[in-house]
Amino acid sequence: MTNNNPEWVGFNQFDEDNGLFPADMSYSIQNYRKNILVFRQGGVCDALYILIQGSVKTEMITENGNLLGIEIIKAPRPLAPAFLFSDNNRFPVEVTTLEDAEVLRIPKEEVIRLMTSQPDFMKQFLTHNANRTQFLTNRLQLLSIKTIKGKIAHFLLEQSSEHGSKFVINRNQTELAGFFGVARPSLARSLSEMVQDGVISINKKEYTLLNNKGLRELLL
Amino acid sequence: MTNNNPEWVGFNQFDEDNGLFPADMSYSIQNYRKNILVFRQGGVCDALYILIQGSVKTEMITENGNLLGIEIIKAPRPLAPAFLFSDNNRFPVEVTTLEDAEVLRIPKEEVIRLMTSQPDFMKQFLTHNANRTQFLTNRLQLLSIKTIKGKIAHFLLEQSSEHGSKFVINRNQTELAGFFGVARPSLARSLSEMVQDGVISINKKEYTLLNNKGLRELLL
DNA sequence: CAAAAAGTGTAACATCTGTTACACATACCA
DNA sequence: TGGTATGTGTAACAGATGTTACACTTTTTG
């Protein structure tokens, strides 16, 4: 779920000009220190925000006040660009810095101008949003799996398809539990059972898949 | 979750011309009978599809083969337009007709052309997609509530905010259970307990909220 | 109108998950 | 290096949900 390959910065085509952005673009830049709340869930989203330095995490506050981890975002990438144009243009998630960060802000009108005048900008915007939607859909699928082992299996198999049968997951159990929307001890129990059953092995944060068939059976 | 007020048909501005669409637009129309699978989950999405007649439901196949109900779509509305531009342009859901339906198909290149030449078309497309994303986010929030009563309460309070404290839900228990991602008898049990506790009353498909405070407490 | 289909209420039971608590290990910091 | 904070393993227990089964009601259809 961590975004390792930035898929969009919006201004690839202008990089040579005068550093980063089109010369005539109106924008502002805001800096944040580590562990600072950048956007509050429900806050109005009236501009396009692009994380150009550092990393942040996004979390959704469930109605009981718990936090459901969504994803970790590393620069450069836009933050929740989909909501800029929604009728109820509010942030659906909390955004908090994980390290010192720098955020570019482009007013909505300016975005519309860029969109109509720069077809490449528009296409990238569309593609990025489409990919975001697909991510959310995937997230939905993960949450719809009822058993914890099923969620783990889904997650590990997905990782495996990208990184092979041995890989590192840079999240501790508490974060993983938040990501899955389950209690931490419950996650630990499921993990240790899966290790005992020999379908996976865990060494610190390195996970090895030992029995893909067995993992797939856990999805049911 | 049922979409009663179509928010976008894409061609408002052309309605007078020659019936429905811009005269020079390339498109095709496909008809489907009731209970027909229109799009398979995972199928390639290479064009913009707009439901212009009838209604369909969308469902996500979870990995165990179960169905997770997503929403009911009534014409006119585009079908999964967000995925047209994603890198992995595949349908994330099954789409099945609920009644006889008619679907307009516009090739991707044509959509891009319309998008760049018709700013209004572009804005509507963006807004629609943004609203869709918000819907998905809301769905995510619903699924992240752990207790069944909590999900019911969330859902009923949401309905209530739109339609007052007495309203009709056009879904049977099986469909509702699918929507919540829970087992049907479990849903029935929770519902009858909520009735016994006096927080709601149910008459056929008419629901009445009797104790909003009590409902909100169920969210925790 | 009658039969079939679909939908609903409910029970018993097994299973899974959350909660709480605590010991232990590991990483971090002064 | 020693102490503190953070992270992990595990247990006991309570509570919630899924599963299966069946009777009953309502709706649909011929």
Side-chain angles (χ1 to χ4, degrees):
Chain A
M1 298 298 108
T2 308
N3 179 40
N4 294 313
N5 47 334
E7 54 192 41
W8 187 58
V9 290
F11 304 107
N12 307 343
Q13 66 272 38
F14 304 113
D15 282 3
E16 298 112 32
D17 288 10
N18 66 341
L20 270 172
F21 324 120
D24 62 340
M25 188 178 83
S26 77
Y27 66 91
S28 60
I29 288 182
Q30 183 92 33
N31 288 288
Y32 299 89
R33 303 203 64 78
K34 188 177 177 180
N35 293 325
I36 297 295
L37 181 65
V38 180
F39 299 122
R40 172 171 285 111
Q41 183 169 345
V44 171
C45 170
D46 58 345
L48 175 63
Y49 295 93
I50 300 178
L51 179 70
I52 52 179
Q53 189 70 220
S55 63
V56 301
K57 65 176 171 181
T58 61
E59 290 170 316
M60 181 179 292
I61 303 177
T62 60
E63 313 220 14
N64 59 18
N66 283 345
L67 291 176
L68 178 72
I70 304 288
E71 63 176 328
I72 294 166
I73 297 176
K74 292 180 181 169
R77 234 199 62 186
L79 301 173
F83 297 95
L84 178 55
F85 291 100
S86 70
D87 290 326
N88 169 21
N89 57 336
R90 295 174 175 281
F91 281 102
V93 292
E94 300 270 327
V95 177
T96 312
T97 53
L98 290 174
E99 52 189 340
D100 290 3
E102 202 171 331
V103 176
L104 173 68
R105 178 183 189 280
I106 308 175
K108 183 169 179 174
E109 312 75 49
E110 180 70 8
V111 174
I112 292 176
R113 194 179 68 77
L114 284 171
M115 203 84 103
T116 48
S117 63
Q118 308 284 354
D120 279 352
F121 180 90
M122 185 193 75
K123 281 184 200 168
Q124 288 192 62
F125 188 90
L126 288 172
T127 300
H128 179 79
N129 279 335
N131 289 341
R132 295 286 74 216
T133 305
Q134 205 138 51
F135 171 81
L136 277 183
T137 304
N138 193 34
R139 202 80 185 66
L140 211 49
Q141 189 153 13
L142 179 66
L143 277 183
S144 73
I145 297 174
K146 294 197 187 70
T147 66
I148 296 182
K149 287 183 187 176
K151 297 181 198 219
I152 297 171
H154 174 96
F155 178 72
L156 292 180
L157 286 169
E158 188 181 45
Q159 294 291 313
S160 168
S161 74
E162 290 177 27
H163 310 118
S165 63
K166 178 181 285 199
F167 46 83
V168 170
I169 296 178
N170 268 321
R171 300 178 171 227
N172 62 32
Q173 281 192 1
T174 306
E175 290 169 333
L176 268 183
F179 182 70
F180 292 142
V182 302
R184 203 272 308 164
S186 304
L187 178 68
R189 172 172 46 205
S190 294
L191 280 174
S192 70
E193 282 173 12
M194 289 168 77
V195 170
Q196 277 196 328
D197 294 346
V199 292
I200 61 174
S201 73
I202 306 176
N203 191 329
K204 311 265 179 175
K205 296 193 170 178
E206 183 186 79
Y207 293 71
T208 310
L209 310 195
L210 303 174
N211 180 354
N212 282 35
K213 185 160 168 291
L215 274 176
R216 275 190 223 96
E217 282 165 4
L218 289 173
L219 295 175
L220 88 161
Chain B
M1 299 298 107
T2 307
N3 179 40
N4 294 315
N5 47 335
E7 56 192 41
W8 188 59
V9 290
F11 303 108
N12 307 342
Q13 66 272 38
F14 304 114
D15 282 3
E16 297 114 32
D17 288 10
N18 65 342
L20 270 172
F21 324 120
D24 63 340
M25 188 179 80
S26 77
Y27 66 92
S28 60
I29 289 182
Q30 183 92 33
N31 287 287
Y32 299 88
R33 303 203 64 80
K34 187 178 178 181
N35 291 325
I36 297 294
L37 181 66
V38 179
F39 300 121
R40 172 172 284 111
Q41 183 169 344
V44 172
C45 170
D46 57 345
L48 176 62
Y49 295 92
I50 301 178
L51 180 69
I52 52 179
Q53 188 70 221
S55 63
V56 301
K57 64 176 171 181
T58 61
E59 289 170 316
M60 182 178 292
I61 303 177
T62 59
E63 314 220 12
N64 58 19
N66 283 346
L67 290 177
L68 178 72
I70 305 288
E71 63 176 330
I72 293 167
I73 297 176
K74 292 179 182 169
R77 233 199 63 185
L79 301 173
F83 297 95
L84 178 55
F85 291 100
S86 69
D87 290 325
N88 169 23
N89 58 335
R90 295 173 175 282
F91 280 103
V93 291
E94 299 270 327
V95 177
T96 311
T97 53
L98 290 173
E99 51 190 342
D100 290 3
E102 204 171 330
V103 176
L104 172 69
R105 179 183 188 279
I106 308 175
K108 183 169 179 173
E109 311 76 49
E110 181 70 9
V111 174
I112 292 177
R113 194 179 68 79
L114 284 170
M115 203 84 104
T116 49
S117 63
Q118 308 285 353
D120 280 352
F121 180 90
M122 185 193 76
K123 280 186 199 167
Q124 288 193 60
F125 188 90
L126 288 172
T127 299
H128 179 78
N129 279 335
N131 289 341
R132 295 287 73 217
T133 305
Q134 206 138 51
F135 170 81
L136 277 184
T137 304
N138 193 36
R139 202 79 185 67
L140 212 50
Q141 189 153 13
L142 179 67
L143 278 183
S144 73
I145 298 174
K146 293 197 187 71
T147 66
I148 296 182
K149 287 184 187 176
K151 296 181 198 217
I152 296 171
H154 174 97
F155 178 71
L156 292 180
L157 286 169
E158 188 181 44
Q159 294 291 313
S160 169
S161 74
E162 290 178 26
H163 310 118
S165 64
K166 178 181 284 199
F167 46 84
V168 170
I169 297 178
N170 268 321
R171 301 180 171 224
N172 62 34
Q173 281 192 2
T174 306
E175 290 169 333
L176 269 183
F179 182 70
F180 291 142
V182 302
R184 203 271 308 166
S186 303
L187 177 68
R189 172 173 44 207
S190 294
L191 280 175
S192 70
E193 283 173 12
M194 289 168 78
V195 169
Q196 277 196 328
D197 296 346
V199 291
I200 61 173
S201 72
I202 305 176
N203 191 329
K204 310 266 178 176
K205 297 193 170 178
E206 185 186 79
Y207 293 70
T208 309
L209 309 196
L210 303 174
N211 180 354
N212 283 34
K213 185 160 169 291
L215 274 177
R216 273 189 224 96
E217 281 166 5
L218 290 174
L219 294 176
L220 85 162

